[in-house]
């Protein structure tokens, strides 16, 4: 059985890379082999990936958050009626970033002194859903966190929300150092899963569950954990260089 995965065309180092050797990609290949499946992947804009999964042109997405926008057409590993983080591909935190000294604040529950829409990276459905639930407008026209930081410094927004690892590395660069600061309370701290189309899951429930179980075993292995720590260190160093 071949599983056709649509992958975000933008890199998510160290988890997704254009060369296909990101840590999430390696984890999924090993898990698929254990579960008796093979993977065929192709890259596309993340919004196109979602539509192709919705209409069954693709079978899944490798790092999908469990969020309302995806639930109508995507299946996730569940336990007791809740998503099972033990079978996630990865976990990640996002932070809120502001111009240094700005009065705009995020305390972990709500924003204060926020006037503009919040900038998020294009297609960041988890953050868009959470902000919408809070009644906060978003602007996801920026393709990268670096582009959104530039908009922040230009005064086009009060807050940027983005990945912790990428953001902290960018803050070490001369163009951002001392000009932008990360607020201490995480904005999100979420697991990301191999999200499968509901059509694929309904047709192959046993294979789907075997695959999610294999992801959990492979991710817990000491060899994978060592490789992940090394990849994270190298990714942060590369973004700072």
């Amino acid at each position: 059985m071949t599983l056709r995965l649509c992958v975000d065309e933008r890199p998510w180092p160290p988890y997704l890379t254009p060369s296909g050797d990101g840590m999430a990609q390696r984890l999924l290949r090993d898990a698929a082999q254990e579960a008796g499946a093979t993977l065929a992947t192709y890259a596309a804009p993340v919004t196109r990936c979602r539509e192709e999964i919705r209409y069954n042109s693709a079978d899944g997405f490798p790092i999908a958050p469990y969020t309302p926008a995806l639930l109508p057409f995507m299946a996730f590993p569940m336990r007791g009626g809740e998503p099972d983080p033990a079978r996630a591909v990865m976990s990640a935190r996002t932070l809120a970033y502001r111009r240094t000294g700005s009065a705009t604040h995020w305390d972990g529950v709500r924003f204060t002194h926020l006037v503009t829409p919040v900038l998020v990276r294009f297609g960041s459905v988890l953050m868009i859903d959470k902000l919408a639930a809070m009644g906060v407008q978003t602007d996801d026209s920026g393709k990268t966190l670096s582009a959104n930081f530039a908009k922040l410094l230009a005064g086009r927004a009060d807050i940027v929300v983005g990945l912790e690892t990428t953001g902290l590395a960018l803050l070490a660069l001369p163009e951002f150092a001392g000009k932008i600061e990360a607020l201490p309370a995480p904005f999100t701290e979420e697991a990301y899963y191999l999200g499968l189309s509901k059509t694929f899951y309904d047709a192959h429930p046993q294979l789907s569950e075997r695959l999610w179980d294999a992801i959990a075993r492979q991710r817990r292995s000491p060899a994978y954990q060592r490789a992940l720590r090394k990849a994270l260190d190298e990714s942060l160093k590369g973004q700072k260089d």
Side-chain angles (χ1 to χ4, degrees):
M1 171 64 66
T2 297
L3 188 68
R4 183 170 162 83
L5 297 184
C6 188
V7 178
D8 191 348
E9 65 181 1
R10 301 164 302 175
W12 283 57
Y15 296 101
L16 297 178
T17 66
S19 61
D21 62 353
M23 292 306 299
Q25 291 155 312
R26 291 169 55 183
L27 173 63
L28 290 172
R29 281 196 297 269
D30 290 345
Q33 183 176 18
E34 179 183 332
T38 57
L39 299 182
T41 63
Y42 66 98
V46 64
T47 50
R48 178 179 159 194
C49 284
R50 292 187 195 121
E51 290 308 299
E52 295 200 353
I53 294 166
R54 186 193 304 272
Y55 294 107
N56 302 310
S57 297
D59 299 317
F61 189 78
I63 48 173
Y66 184 86
T67 193
L70 303 181
L71 299 185
F73 59 92
M74 204 175 281
F76 292 84
M78 307 294 287
R79 187 177 301 277
E82 298 290 334
D84 183 3
R87 297 193 285 172
V89 172
M90 58 174 279
S91 60
R93 300 201 318 175
T94 61
L95 300 178
Y97 301 88
R98 68 182 182 187
R99 288 183 298 279
T100 300
S102 166
T104 308
H105 190 63
W106 165 253
D107 64 4
V109 178
R110 63 183 61 84
F111 289 104
T112 52
H113 303 291
L114 177 66
V115 177
T116 67
V118 170
L119 300 181
V120 300
R121 196 168 92 151
F122 176 73
S124 300
V125 63
L126 173 66
M127 289 176 272
I128 292 170
D129 278 354
K130 179 169 180 175
L131 288 161
M134 297 166 56
V136 175
Q137 292 184 318
T138 56
D139 175 350
D140 73 336
S141 59
K143 298 291 187 182
T144 65
L145 185 53
S146 178
N148 281 339
F149 276 4
K151 290 182 181 181
L152 182 66
L153 289 181
R156 295 170 60 184
D158 297 324
I159 287 285
V160 172
V161 172
L163 283 173
E164 177 183 42
T165 51
T166 305
L168 295 183
L170 289 173
L171 293 189
L173 299 177
E175 58 263 43
F176 303 126
K179 303 171 187 175
I180 295 175
E181 58 189 358
L183 294 169
F187 184 72
T188 61
E189 191 162 2
E190 298 288 340
Y192 292 78
Y193 302 89
L194 170 62
L196 298 174
S197 76
K198 286 193 170 180
T199 299
F200 182 90
Y201 181 84
D202 290 343
H204 309 285
Q206 293 180 332
L207 174 60
S208 300
E209 296 292 342
R210 286 201 311 271
L211 187 52
W212 286 325
D213 289 345
I215 288 169
R217 284 190 292 272
Q218 294 286 343
R219 188 182 176 204
R220 288 196 305 266
S221 72
Y224 180 79
Q225 289 298 316
R226 285 193 300 271
L228 178 60
R229 285 193 294 271
K230 181 180 178 182
L232 285 168
D233 289 344
E234 290 176 350
S235 176
L236 287 173
K237 183 178 184 298
Q239 291 180 66
K240 291 177 181 178
D241 289 345

